[in-house]
């Protein structure tokens, strides 16, 4: 990661947190929420900070495991709460407003734990850019500094294709298998019986060399057809693209 001038990003974030009596952090284990959880914990103390992970089929199993591991490593006060976005027809329809309904479900989980209604966004209040989040995380020694972004599993399905539990399970199984093979930055885009695999460009040759393993892993996850996207990984490349039949879903 290229160096960035230290313009007091850590102090800006701490100032945004000071004065808050008790804090509930929506903790997904990604770079942003991990930095916020760590700095809130070290600034306000464990008795004033509760990190909450919303658990649902749209959360990859590895992400939940990592949330638990990070909480243990850093001594965070960590809770898991089930969220029910799949039970919301507006979410399950998988329109372009899916993320709004997902966030609403998250707030339903967090509100009973919060001292008052409303939300604060300390990273935004501190004016931290994505680059600063990762730079500061690295400076603090957080292993999440270079963690690949991991949007919810529903983002693998084209907009307009309904989100179903069976689909989320297929995507989760396929991506888990590829990670177990050593691929780090990836997406398995779901089109019914067809899976379109996106990997870092540097990993394309590796995937082709291990073609039989990749195909077997995705067949085991329930896909009949397996394709490798030669353009490589592109976060958000399904956004705004409703797709006609071959399958299901869309997003990040």
């Amino acid at each position: 990661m290229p160096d960035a001038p230290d313009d007091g990003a850590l102090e800006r974030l701490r100032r945004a947190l000071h004065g808050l009596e008790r804090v509930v952090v929506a903790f997904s284990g990604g770079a942003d929420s991990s930095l916020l959880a760590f700095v809130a914990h070290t600034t306000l103390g464990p008795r004033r900070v509760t990190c909450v992970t919303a658990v649902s089929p749209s959360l990859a199993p590895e992400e939940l495991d990592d949330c638990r591991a990070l909480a243990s490593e850093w001594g965070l006060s960590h809770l898991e709460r089930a969220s029910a976005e799949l039970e919301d027809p507006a979410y399950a329809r998988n329109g372009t407003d899916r993320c709004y309904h997902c966030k609403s479900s998250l707030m339903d989980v967090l509100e009973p734990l919060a001292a008052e209604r409303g939300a604060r966004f300390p990273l935004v209040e501190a004016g931290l850019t994505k680059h600063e989040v990762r730079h500061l995380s690295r400076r603090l020694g957080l292993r999440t500094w270079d963690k690949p972004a991991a949007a919810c599993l529903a983002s693998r399905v084209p907009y307009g294709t309904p989100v179903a539990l069976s689909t989320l399970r297929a995507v989760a199984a396929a991506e888990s298998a590829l990670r177990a093979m050593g691929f780090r930055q990836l997406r398995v885009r779901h089109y019914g019986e067809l899976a379109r695999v996106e990997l870092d460009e540097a990993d394309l040759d590796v995937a082709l060399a291990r073609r039989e393993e990749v195909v077997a892993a995705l067949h085991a996850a329930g896909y009949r057809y397996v394709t490798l996207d030669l353009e490589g990984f592109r976060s958000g490349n399904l956004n705004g693209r409703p797709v006609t039949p071959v399958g299901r879903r869309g997003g990040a």
Side-chain angles (χ1 to χ4, degrees):
M1 166 180 283
D3 288 336
D6 185 359
D7 56 356
L10 179 58
E11 288 312 308
R12 298 201 316 270
L13 181 53
R14 284 180 171 155
R15 280 198 302 271
L17 290 164
H18 277 306
L20 299 178
E21 217 26 67
R22 297 181 67 83
V23 174
V24 175
V25 177
F27 183 54
S28 67
D32 289 358
S33 71
S34 293
L35 175 65
L36 180 56
F38 182 85
V39 175
H41 173 78
T42 55
T43 301
L44 302 175
R47 294 184 179 180
R48 294 167 60 189
V49 180
T50 303
C51 299
V52 182
T53 301
V55 182
S56 79
S58 64
L59 178 68
E62 295 90 348
E63 294 303 313
L64 178 56
D65 289 343
D66 204 33
C67 286
R68 292 168 175 164
L70 290 168
S72 177
E73 290 169 26
W74 299 340
L76 305 177
S77 173
H78 181 229
L79 299 176
E80 297 172 20
R81 292 291 184 267
S83 63
E85 62 265 29
L86 272 181
E87 296 174 17
D88 179 359
Y91 175 88
R93 278 195 299 270
N94 197 22
T96 55
D97 60 350
R98 183 195 64 235
C99 288
Y100 167 79
H101 297 290
C102 184
K103 294 291 189 298
S104 296
S105 178
L106 174 62
M107 292 309 297
D108 289 342
V109 169
L110 297 182
E111 272 192 350
L113 299 168
E116 60 184 23
R117 289 181 174 270
R120 293 282 296 273
F121 303 93
L123 295 178
V124 176
E125 292 173 29
L128 267 66
T129 65
K130 290 287 186 182
H131 179 75
E132 286 177 311
V133 165
R134 292 190 180 273
H135 178 79
L136 181 55
S137 296
R138 187 181 191 183
R139 187 159 68 84
L140 291 171
L142 310 185
R143 63 175 175 81
T144 51
W145 76 269
D146 66 342
K147 185 176 181 179
C152 82
L153 295 178
S155 68
R156 283 35 163 195
V157 183
Y159 287 138
T161 300
V163 176
L165 179 59
S166 59
T167 302
L168 296 179
R169 285 176 173 167
V171 171
E175 293 194 351
S176 293
L178 292 175
R179 287 193 185 91
M181 293 173 62
F183 297 108
R184 193 158 180 256
Q185 183 74 276
L186 62 96
R187 294 286 187 270
V188 173
R189 308 295 186 183
H190 179 96
Y191 300 91
E193 294 183 314
L194 182 146
R196 177 165 60 81
V197 179
E198 294 179 11
L199 302 170
D200 269 343
E201 287 186 36
D203 287 331
L204 294 179
D205 286 343
V206 178
L208 289 172
R210 301 177 68 181
R211 181 183 63 83
E212 291 184 2
E213 291 177 74
V214 171
V215 170
L218 271 76
H219 282 176
Y223 291 101
R224 186 174 180 184
Y225 306 105
V226 180
T227 65
L228 179 64
D229 192 323
L230 297 182
E231 289 188 82
F233 171 82
R234 287 104 64 216
S235 180
N237 88 36
L238 285 185
N239 289 340
R241 288 190 191 178
V243 174
T244 10
V246 254
R248 306 199 157 116
R249 301 176 131 110

